[in-house]
Amino acid sequence: MKTLFVSLWRRLPVPLRRTLIRFVVPTYTVGVLGVVRDDRERVLLLRHRMREDDGWELPGGFVDKGESLYEALRRELREETGLDVQVIKVVRASIPRPGHVEIVFLTRALACDLLIDDREVLQARWFDSTDLPRITSPHQAADIDSLGTKVRREL
């Protein structure tokens, strides 16, 4: 049976095989986030316009086709905050919800002057590690905690 399937599969035109694979193989969106620290060890958090009722969260966004993870992170941070960053290491890679892969990086801001894109961002602020607000996502709060900074948990 398997041999028959393989024989039939090989006879199909390549574009048709690719289309069939898309229906069978799960696909994912890929997002990148940055735990951005400055030279005073403050953490950058944002409130996004698309989620106005939510609290503070890490900056980041989706990876574009053909873009590396580092390129995507740098682009997103530049678009949302005007910052250039040095990427230091991966903090977490996970699938926080079906169909979405999320990679979180520890980064260092090369400068601290924020230039907010107000089409995407309501607020951006540097927080002292001893005075962090409630973070919307438990995953993101755990990412910050894993780097030695404790996030406020109460609502």
Side-chain angles (χ1 to χ4, degrees):
M1 184 67 157
K2 185 177 178 180
T3 310
L4 176 63
F5 175 77
V6 170
S7 175
L8 290 172
W9 181 257
R10 288 185 178 153
R11 291 183 184 162
L12 292 174
V14 172
L16 180 56
R17 283 191 272 176
R18 286 186 183 137
T19 300
L20 291 171
I21 287 172
R22 284 190 190 109
F23 285 113
V24 176
V25 176
T27 58
Y28 295 86
T29 57
V30 179
V32 289
L33 298 168
V35 177
V36 182
R37 289 199 157 154
D38 67 3
D39 57 354
R40 293 173 30 203
E41 296 304 316
R42 296 179 300 174
V43 177
L44 178 65
L45 297 173
L46 308 180
R47 288 191 55 237
H48 284 91
R49 185 164 298 287
M50 290 201 216
R51 296 176 293 282
E52 288 187 32
D53 294 333
D54 290 350
W56 294 92
E57 54 192 298
L58 297 172
F62 291 104
V63 177
D64 290 339
K65 186 176 181 177
E67 194 174 37
S68 78
L69 298 174
Y70 286 2
E71 290 168 342
L73 180 62
R74 286 187 185 108
R75 175 186 50 76
E76 283 291 342
L77 290 172
R78 209 174 311 113
E79 286 175 3
E80 291 181 348
T81 68
L83 292 178
D84 286 318
V85 297
Q86 172 192 7
V87 179
I88 298 169
K89 69 177 184 175
V90 173
V91 174
R92 172 179 56 88
S94 67
I95 302 173
R97 61 183 181 274
H100 182 70
V101 175
E102 189 169 84
I103 299 95
V104 181
F105 295 89
L106 173 61
T107 68
R108 172 81 52 199
L110 300 178
C112 296
D113 298 326
L114 298 174
L115 180 62
I116 298 169
D117 177 359
D118 61 5
R119 293 170 299 176
E120 287 189 54
V121 178
L122 284 172
Q123 277 181 287
R125 186 173 147 206
W126 292 104
F127 287 92
D128 188 78
S129 61
T130 61
D131 191 32
L132 289 171
R134 184 184 63 82
I135 308 296
T136 301
S137 161
H139 296 290
Q140 293 180 23
D143 296 332
I144 295 169
D145 284 351
S146 75
L147 297 168
T149 304
K150 298 300 175 197
V151 173
R152 204 178 298 160
R153 299 285 189 211
E154 72 274 3
L155 294 174

